[in-house]
Amino acid sequence: MDKVVIIGVFDFVNFHVCKSLLDKGILVRGVQLDTKEKEDMASEKRLEIGRNANFAEVSLGDIANQSSANETIVLSVYDLYMRYKEDYLLTDHLISSIINKNNWENIVILVPSQILKNVIDSKAEIVIEDFLKRTILPNKHSYLLYLPTVFGPWQPETFIFQSSILTELNRGMPFKGLREETSDALFVDDAVKAIIEIMEINQPGKYLLQSGKDNQWDSCAALLQLSEQDLNKRILEIKDKDIIKKIVPSTVPLSVALTKQIEHTHRLNADH
C-alpha cells in the first residue's frame, strides 16, 4: 500500500488515519466533503498535517477524472453518521461512482457498528445499509471496518463524551441525543493503528473492532462523570455471522486517553 485516497479527510477518524499514513511515508490525496466543517477547525487540522510533501488536498472531481491504479480508497461513513450527515450518501452519487471504479487496489469503508444489529430501525441506518449494498457488493477488494464509540482528540460534539467536555467549558451546543454505540469504546490512536494493520494484510472482508474488555464504554462514561439520566444504552447484537472480530490492544490507560481529549479540547477553545 503506497498511495491512498481519503474521502472526508478532515473528519474525525479519517483525519487520524491520514496523519498515521503520512507518518508511515504513504502518499495521501485527501478530499474534504462539504459537510460544513467549521473553517477554523479545518484550518487547525491543515496546520497539524503541516507542509507534508506526501499530502495533497484535491476535489472529488479530481479523483473522478484521474487514474486510481494502485491506490486504496478510504471513506468514513462512520464520521458522516456521527455528524448527522449520512444524507450526503443519498445526494452525492459521485461518491458511489468513484468507489465503484474498477481499478482501486482496495476499498476501505469505516462503518458504525450499529449497522450490524439484528434490526435496522432508523432512517440513518437504512441509508447507510442501502449505500453499502450499492457500492460494496460488486467489489471483491473491499474492507468493511465496523467501529464502536471512538474517542480522543478531535472527537465531534455529537458524541456524548465530547459534548460533556464542552459543557464543562460552557462551550457546548444542545446535545442531539445518544447516537454512538455504547457497548464498547476505543481510543482513536489504537483504533487507527488497527485500521491500518487490516489495510496492510491484504485480506478483504468484514471486521468488527473491539476492545475485548467488559464495560469499556461505561468506564469512560464514569471517568467523565456522566450521569445515568444522560444515557440510553444499547446492547449490540450482531446479525452477521461472517464478521471477523479484531481485538484492539490499548496503548495507554483510559484515564490517560481521555485526558488527551480533554486537554486538546481545552487548548482549541483557549485559542478561539
Side-chain angles (χ1 to χ4, degrees):
M1 182 176 65
D2 299 318
K3 297 185 291 184
V4 176
V5 168
I6 301 180
I7 299 180
V9 69
F10 294 129
D11 289 340
F12 171 43
V13 178
N14 259 355
F15 178 64
H16 287 275
V17 170
C18 175
K19 289 199 302 174
S20 293
L21 290 172
L22 291 172
D23 287 344
K24 294 170 73 71
I26 292 171
L27 299 174
V28 176
R29 292 196 290 161
V31 178
Q32 181 53 24
L33 299 175
D34 183 20
T35 53
K36 307 304 181 186
E37 169 77 278
K38 293 178 180 178
E39 185 55 38
D40 55 348
M41 295 300 181
S43 297
E44 286 278 352
K45 290 174 181 177
R46 290 185 178 96
L47 287 172
E48 203 166 305
I49 290 175
R51 295 186 177 182
N52 193 311
N54 285 343
F55 178 74
E57 189 173 349
V58 297
S59 69
L60 275 178
D62 293 331
I63 301 300
N65 296 324
Q66 296 173 5
S67 170
S68 57
N70 302 316
E71 281 187 301
T72 292
I73 187 167
V74 179
L75 169 67
S76 181
V77 173
Y78 179 91
D79 285 322
L80 290 174
Y81 172 78
M82 282 308 305
R83 293 180 60 200
Y84 291 81
K85 300 296 183 181
E86 65 278 348
D87 281 354
Y88 202 93
L89 301 172
L90 290 173
T91 57
D92 199 322
H93 299 294
L94 188 57
I95 294 178
S96 292
S97 64
I98 288 172
I99 291 176
N100 281 320
K101 290 171 68 173
N102 293 325
N103 50 349
W104 293 111
E105 184 175 78
N106 287 302
I107 297 166
V108 180
I109 299 189
L110 311 181
V111 188
S113 57
Q114 292 92 316
I115 305 303
L116 293 171
K117 292 188 307 182
N118 287 318
V119 178
I120 299 296
D121 54 7
S122 75
K123 178 187 173 185
E125 292 164 356
I126 292 170
V127 166
I128 292 172
E129 189 173 51
D130 178 66
F131 173 80
L132 295 177
K133 287 178 180 177
R134 286 187 285 114
T135 56
I136 285 298
L137 290 183
N139 293 287
K140 296 180 181 179
H141 302 288
S142 61
Y143 297 74
L144 291 180
L145 308 186
Y146 294 89
L147 308 179
T149 290
V150 178
F151 66 93
W154 294 114
Q155 189 189 56
E157 61 190 32
T158 48
F159 287 79
I160 195 169
F161 292 176
Q162 183 66 2
S163 176
S164 70
I165 294 169
L166 287 169
T167 297
E168 289 293 320
L169 295 174
N170 294 318
R171 295 293 184 92
M173 299 291 288
F175 188 57
K176 291 186 176 182
L178 199 62
R179 196 170 227 209
E180 61 260 50
E181 179 54 57
T182 57
S183 63
D184 203 1
L186 298 172
F187 180 44
V188 67
D189 288 358
D190 300 333
V192 167
K193 182 179 179 182
I195 288 167
I196 294 176
E197 286 175 355
I198 292 170
M199 291 168 63
E200 291 177 331
I201 61 174
N202 199 28
Q203 292 180 5
K206 300 177 181 179
Y207 295 81
L208 172 63
L209 276 59
Q210 298 179 306
S211 70
K213 300 174 182 176
D214 293 333
N215 305 315
Q216 179 90 328
W217 194 95
D218 290 338
S219 298
C220 292
L223 286 167
L224 291 170
Q225 300 181 333
L226 295 180
S227 64
E228 287 293 327
Q229 66 184 21
D230 292 330
L231 310 180
N232 179 21
K233 295 176 56 183
R234 300 180 294 267
I235 297 175
L236 182 64
E237 297 180 1
I238 299 173
K239 65 178 180 180
D240 195 330
K241 304 304 180 184
D242 297 326
I243 199 81
I244 301 167
K245 296 179 180 178
K246 180 174 176 60
I247 302 300
V248 178
S250 298
T251 55
V252 295
L254 286 182
S255 58
V256 174
L258 285 166
T259 297
K260 288 177 181 287
Q261 179 170 341
I262 292 167
E263 290 179 345
H264 179 264
T265 302
H266 283 213
R267 181 184 66 79
L268 283 181
N269 282 273
D271 293 344
H272 298 99

